[in-house]
Amino acid sequence: MLTFLSATPQAGWGFWRWVAFFIANKYPEFISGAGITLLISITGTVIGFLIGLLIGVIKTIPLRPNDAKIKIIFLKILRGLLQIYIEIFRGTPMMVQAMVIFYGLATAGLQLNRIFAGILIVSINTGAYMSEIVRGGIESIDKGQFEAAHTLGMSHGKTMFNIILPQTIRNILPATGNEFVINIKDTSVLSVISVTELFFASKSIAGTYVAYFQTMTITCAIYFVLTFTVTRILRLLEKKIDGPSSYTIYGSSTSPESTIKVKGGETNAR
């Protein structure tokens, strides 16, 4: 058996032999930690996106002078509370938020599962950032589209869900992907509440063998592979949503060039 596969480290090992030893003997801990990191970051990003979408829509509801007074007061109070939430969670480190929420709830008698607590914290934190991203995305849509929809008799809700939000989601997809990548890296701060994600698992291995440099080099490589893969997948998703880059106009309709074939004045789909 090769020396680096031995379960017992040998004195005088160099850097690469330590790295090989950890890969050969501690890969279950690294894989488990990476899995929990992905679970928390994916779930937290999806929930945070939904929170941001809801808040972004609420913050862009127009208030008109002829609206009912109770509606105006309710929306102003709600927006004020949402703004407080956004300012607090954007203005404080997620590590501090994790400790306040987890240990604060424990002090109040509510002991959360640590992975659930991690998902909760990442979701709330991401929601605060996503709400501003969504708001900016909605406001970037041409106001003429709102006016045209209202002219056709569409309510604000129908205008948002049928016309504005599909465009907004496409526009904010790069920023959403960026939040996802940030969440993969930021889950490392959840080690302060002992969530066994990748950094926590790596730190435990490094402490056991007093080999921090070698262990964290492997951890760094795993984080890079995760973020690089996610970035490439999101770019492919953006291209898929964009569709073909060239179009041909036939009669009064516009169709992707790759799916339309003209024969003898007739249009046939492939």
Side-chain angles (χ1 to χ4, degrees), residues 2 15 26 29 39-40 42 62 75 91-92 98-99 125 134 136 149 159 190 270:
L2 297 176
F15 171 80
K26 297 298 177 184
E29 287 92 331
L39 171 67
I40 294 174
I42 291 173
L75 269 180
T92 56
M99 297 182 76
N125 183 275
V134 172
T159 304
L190 298 175
R270 286 178 179 173

Side-chain angles (χ1 to χ4, degrees), residues 10 41 71 99 142 151 157 160 201 220:
Q10 307 295 319
S41 55
K71 176 186 174 183
M99 297 182 76
D142 186 4
T151 302
M160 290 298 293
C220 184

Side-chain angles (χ1 to χ4, degrees), residues 43-105:
T43 311
T45 303
V46 171
I47 296 176
F49 174 78
L50 296 176
I51 293 173
L53 203 61
L54 179 63
I55 295 176
V57 170
I58 291 174
K59 293 187 73 175
T60 53
I61 294 175
L63 285 176
R64 300 183 180 85
N66 58 348
D67 284 337
K69 197 170 182 179
I70 186 69
K71 176 186 174 183
I72 295 174
I73 294 173
F74 174 75
L75 269 180
K76 285 187 175 180
I77 293 174
L78 181 59
R79 287 176 180 176
L81 294 174
L82 292 175
Q83 194 60 38
I84 292 172
Y85 153 69
I86 292 168
E87 295 297 339
I88 289 175
F89 279 88
R90 290 179 69 198
T92 56
M94 192 163 76
M95 180 185 290
V96 177
Q97 296 165 14
M99 297 182 76
V100 168
I101 292 174
F102 184 76
Y103 293 115
L105 291 176

Side-chain angles (χ1 to χ4, degrees), residues 108-129:
L110 182 58
Q111 187 68 52
L112 297 177
N113 173 278
R114 294 181 191 277
I115 294 178
F116 175 78
I119 292 173
L120 176 68
I121 292 157
V122 172
S123 300
I124 296 174
N125 183 275
T126 304
Y129 285 93

Side-chain angles (χ1 to χ4, degrees), residues 69-265:
K69 197 170 182 179
I70 186 69
K71 176 186 174 183
I72 295 174
I73 294 173
F74 174 75
L75 269 180
K76 285 187 175 180
I77 293 174
L78 181 59
R79 287 176 180 176
L81 294 174
L82 292 175
Q83 194 60 38
I84 292 172
Y85 153 69
I86 292 168
E87 295 297 339
I88 289 175
F89 279 88
R90 290 179 69 198
T92 56
M94 192 163 76
M95 180 185 290
V96 177
Q97 296 165 14
M99 297 182 76
V100 168
I101 292 174
F102 184 76
Y103 293 115
L105 291 176
T107 303
L110 182 58
Q111 187 68 52
L112 297 177
N113 173 278
R114 294 181 191 277
I115 294 178
F116 175 78
I119 292 173
L120 176 68
I121 292 157
V122 172
S123 300
I124 296 174
N125 183 275
T126 304
Y129 285 93
M130 285 306 305
S131 60
E132 289 299 283
I133 293 172
V134 172
R135 183 184 61 79
I138 292 174
E139 291 179 351
S140 70
I141 304 298
D142 186 4
K143 294 187 183 302
Q145 296 192 29
F146 288 93
E147 295 167 0
H150 293 161
T151 302
L152 292 173
M154 297 179 70
S155 65
H156 180 71
K158 284 186 178 179
T159 304
M160 290 298 293
F161 287 102
N162 294 325
I163 299 175
I164 305 303
L165 285 184
Q167 299 178 70
T168 301
I169 290 173
R170 168 60 190 91
N171 289 345
I172 67 172
L173 197 56
T176 305
N178 193 44
E179 278 296 312
F180 186 17
V181 170
I182 290 173
N183 282 340
I184 290 175
K185 296 182 291 182
D186 280 0
T187 52
S188 60
V189 305
L190 298 175
S191 62
V192 296
I193 59 171
S194 301
V195 177
T196 54
E197 42 69 52
L198 179 57
F199 179 72
F200 184 89
S202 303
K203 196 170 65 172
S204 300
I205 296 170
T208 301
Y209 293 94
V210 196
Y212 289 90
F213 178 45
Q214 298 88 337
T215 309
M216 291 305 164
T217 300
I218 298 172
T219 306
C220 184
I222 295 173
Y223 273 120
F224 176 77
V225 169
L226 293 179
T227 56
F228 184 82
T229 305
V230 167
T231 302
R232 290 297 176 275
I233 291 174
L234 289 171
R235 286 185 181 172
L236 288 175
L237 180 61
E238 289 175 27
K239 289 182 180 177
K240 185 74 176 175
I241 292 176
D242 287 342
S245 58
S246 60
Y247 292 82
T248 181
I249 298 176
Y250 179 80
S252 59
S253 63
T254 303
S255 303
E257 190 174 29
S258 60
T259 60
I260 295 297
K261 186 177 180 180
V262 179
K263 287 184 177 179

